[in-house]
């Protein structure tokens, strides 16, 4: 292997293990398309969601049916007069809160990155004439159920119909966690992991992720794998990382499928198997997972479990880079700078390094500075 190839392979390996929280499964455009499909009651597009699961699609349609039956904008809580109306009013909001929790749970279980969830939730409510402020107010004044407590925490955590208040969100997640709310346990772990609304504590983050993971929540299982892989709050253990990634992948989490592919590619916690790695990474890419698309490109570029195909690698990088994946953007810069499988084009190299640098990648910034003064 040439020096340049070794340098590139090392670059790819380093970037593969970038923080899971930076990953994006769906884009703003995808969310808009999904919301439009919801409102027209058309079949969900599997590619845009990164989900190939009929059961999830059916569940989302059930949620739509519930929402369509409840026109809460016609009901003013201030003028609800009799007990029957009050009961119907309460039942309507309770259904929305419960089904919203279920929606978040199922989407996260499939590996959709949680930072994008609020956009899906907002668009979803808007397309069904549900007033988010009313949902926020209802959750504020009805803190008896764990689902209402969690949803209020979620709104405060993401700044939906209120200013971002991570401390309040954290306290609500802890409160709901005490009622064994699985999503709340996961989000509490996330707060501890990054110090959002509380003091950063990776050990406690691990404990809360573990609570959700032990209840078979696949996104919690994937987080446990990540913590074991990187020795966060726990002694580093690649075999246990592999175990949890595999468990989450078997539960249908596309992000975990990607991480499992990395394990086989690098021999991390399991015997190195490039053929198995290629199949898993291809599966994650076909599921719409951006990092999976990029990694599949790497497989074609350097020949991991498949024949080297620079053109195929370029096409996959281009697809992922256009959707904002920074590793793909960097790798496109490399291909254009050195003419690897394509015609050398310094201007295009500068363009893609620039896109990557905008996301805070220091290596891309260094290449950009070098080329601009070349």
């Amino acid at each position: 292997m040439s020096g340049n190839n070794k340098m590139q392979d090392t670059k790819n390996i380093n970037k593969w293990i970038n923080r899971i929280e930076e990953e994006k499964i769906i884009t703003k455009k995808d969310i808009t398309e999904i919301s439009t499909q919801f409102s027209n009651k058309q079949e969900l597009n599997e590619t845009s969601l990164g989900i190939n699961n009929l059961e999830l699609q059916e569940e989302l349609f059930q949620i739509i049916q519930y929402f369509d039956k409840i026109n809460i904008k016609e009901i003013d809580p201030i003028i609800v007069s009799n007990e029957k109306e009050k009961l119907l009013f309460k039942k309507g909001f309770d259904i929305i809160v419960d089904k919203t929790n279920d929606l978040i749970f199922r989407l996260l279980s499939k590996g959709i990155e949680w930072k994008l969830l609020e956009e899906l939730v907002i668009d979803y409510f808007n397309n069904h004439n549900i007033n988010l402020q009313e949902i926020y107010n209802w959750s504020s004044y009805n803190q008896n159920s764990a689902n209402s407590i969690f949803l209020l925490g979620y709104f405060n955590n993401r700044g939906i119909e209120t200013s971002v208040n991570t401390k309040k969100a954290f306290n609500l997640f802890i409160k709901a966690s005490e009622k064994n709310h699985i999503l709340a346990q996961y989000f509490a772990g996330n707060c501890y992991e990054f110090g959002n609304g509380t003091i950063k504590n990776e050990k406690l983050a691990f404990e809360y992720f573990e609570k959700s993971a032990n209840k078979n929540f696949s996104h919690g299982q994937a987080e446990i794998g990540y913590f074991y892989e990187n020795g966060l709050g726990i002694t580093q253990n690649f075999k246990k990382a592999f175990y949890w990634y595999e468990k989450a992948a078997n539960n249908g989490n596309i992000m975990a499928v990607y991480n499992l592919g990395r394990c086989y590619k690098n021999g991390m916690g399991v015997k190195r198997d490039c053929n198995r790695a290629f199949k898993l990474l291809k599966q994650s890419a076909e599921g719409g997972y951006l990092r999976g698309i990029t990694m599949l490109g790497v497989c074609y570029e350097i020949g991991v479990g498949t024949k080297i195909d620079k053109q195929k690698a370029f096409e996959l990088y281009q697809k992922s880079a256009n959707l904002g994946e920074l590793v793909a953007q960097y790798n496109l810069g490399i291909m254009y700078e050195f003419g690897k499988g394509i015609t050398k084009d310094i201007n295009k190299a500068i363009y893609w390094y620039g896109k990557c640098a905008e996301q805070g990648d220091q290596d891309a910034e260094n290449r950009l500075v070098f080329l601009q003064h070349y």
Side-chain angles (χ1 to χ4, degrees):
M1 182 183 294
S2 70
N4 284 339
N5 285 338
K6 286 182 179 179
M7 178 183 70
Q8 178 61 26
D9 193 32
T10 300
K11 177 70 181 179
N12 289 324
I13 292 172
N14 288 336
K15 288 186 175 293
W16 293 338
I17 61 174
N18 275 356
R19 183 67 191 96
I20 290 175
E21 292 300 335
E22 296 174 356
E23 304 188 41
K24 294 186 177 179
I25 318 306
I26 55 176
T27 66
K28 176 71 173 178
K29 179 181 179 182
D30 295 325
I31 293 170
T32 302
E33 291 173 351
I34 293 166
S35 299
T36 301
Q37 291 164 359
F38 280 174
S39 59
N40 292 333
K41 296 192 176 52
Q42 296 174 346
E43 182 178 357
L44 281 173
N45 185 312
E46 294 174 355
T47 303
S48 63
L49 262 178
I51 297 173
N52 185 18
N53 186 292
L54 182 60
E55 179 184 350
L56 176 59
Q57 295 179 27
E58 292 174 349
E59 176 66 18
L60 294 177
F61 286 131
Q62 290 176 13
I63 297 172
I64 293 170
Q65 291 173 2
Y66 273 110
F67 283 1
D68 284 345
K69 291 177 182 178
I70 306 169
N71 189 354
I72 65 171
K73 294 191 77 174
E74 294 180 356
I75 307 174
D76 188 338
I78 297 176
I79 62 173
V80 172
S81 58
N82 60 52
E83 290 302 318
K84 184 178 180 180
E85 288 176 336
K86 289 178 181 178
L87 180 62
L88 290 173
F89 180 73
K90 180 180 185 300
K91 184 178 180 181
F93 273 102
D94 284 347
I95 289 174
I96 294 171
V97 168
D98 292 346
K99 289 301 176 179
T100 303
N101 272 261
D102 197 44
L103 174 64
I104 294 172
F105 182 93
R106 286 182 173 269
L107 292 178
L108 275 176
S109 293
K110 295 301 172 183
I112 289 183
E113 200 272 325
W114 67 268
K115 286 185 178 180
L116 295 178
L117 282 177
E118 73 269 16
E119 296 182 63
L120 181 55
V121 170
I122 292 170
D123 286 351
Y124 189 70
F125 282 168
N126 288 341
N127 283 322
H128 290 86
N129 297 317
I130 297 170
N131 189 302
L132 275 167
Q133 188 63 58
E134 290 178 347
I135 297 297
Y136 180 87
N137 293 342
W138 175 259
S139 297
S140 296
Y141 292 108
N142 292 271
Q143 288 285 287
N144 294 322
S145 75
N147 280 347
S148 289
I149 296 169
F150 165 76
L151 195 59
L152 185 62
Y154 178 73
F155 278 20
N156 276 275
N157 189 50
R158 304 307 303 157
I160 299 174
E161 296 302 322
T162 187
S163 299
V164 172
N165 190 332
T166 56
K167 184 175 181 179
K168 182 177 181 179
F170 170 74
N171 290 333
L172 288 164
F173 292 148
I174 293 297
K175 183 179 178 181
S177 294
E178 293 170 352
K179 294 178 178 288
N180 294 316
H181 193 281
I182 297 174
L183 280 175
Q185 291 169 343
Y186 172 81
F187 275 83
N190 186 271
C191 288
Y192 276 123
E193 180 181 2
F194 295 101
N196 293 329
T198 186
I199 298 173
K200 182 176 180 178
N201 189 321
E202 291 175 346
K203 183 177 180 180
L204 284 175
F206 178 87
E207 291 178 5
Y208 273 92
F209 285 140
E210 190 174 39
K211 289 177 188 289
S212 67
N214 286 335
K215 293 174 183 172
N216 218 32
F217 181 51
S218 69
H219 220 55
Q221 293 167 343
E223 282 284 3
I224 290 295
Y226 177 81
F227 270 52
Y228 272 119
E229 178 184 347
N230 294 280
L232 303 176
I234 195 74
T235 302
Q236 189 177 52
N237 189 317
F238 291 142
K239 287 186 176 180
K240 287 187 177 181
F242 174 83
Y243 169 83
W244 284 106
Y245 285 148
E246 184 175 48
K247 195 172 184 66
N250 289 339
N251 281 329
N253 190 292
I254 200 68
M255 181 175 70
V257 172
Y258 159 79
N259 284 321
L260 197 62
R262 288 197 303 108
C263 287
Y264 278 108
K265 159 65 181 68
N266 299 325
M268 184 175 66
V270 67
K271 184 178 179 181
R272 191 168 187 263
D273 186 336
C274 290
N275 291 329
R276 179 66 174 153
F278 178 80
K279 289 179 181 179
L280 287 165
L281 295 169
K282 185 179 181 184
Q283 181 183 339
S284 70
E286 290 174 346
Y289 192 69
L290 291 188
R291 285 288 178 103
I293 296 171
T294 301
M295 182 70 97
L296 187 62
V298 172
C299 290
Y300 279 111
E301 182 181 358
I302 63 178
V304 177
T306 187
K307 293 181 179 179
I308 292 177
D309 187 335
K310 301 285 187 180
Q311 182 59 39
K312 184 67 174 178
F314 172 79
E315 291 171 1
L316 289 164
Y317 289 155
Q318 187 85 55
K319 180 179 180 179
S320 190
N322 284 335
L323 293 172
E325 210 286 299
L326 83 166
V327 179
Q329 292 172 344
Y330 183 90
N331 288 349
L332 274 182
I334 288 286
M335 295 189 88
Y336 276 118
E337 181 181 358
F338 297 101
K340 298 178 63 175
I342 56 175
T343 303
K344 185 175 180 178
D345 190 324
I346 298 300
N347 288 331
K348 288 184 178 179
I350 289 174
Y351 172 82
W352 285 112
Y353 284 142
K355 286 290 185 181
C356 186
E358 288 174 5
Q359 298 193 58
D361 188 275
Q362 187 58 53
D363 292 321
E365 179 66 31
N366 293 340
R367 297 307 307 162
L368 193 60
V369 171
F370 174 80
L371 290 180
Q372 288 174 336
H373 292 83
Y374 181 70

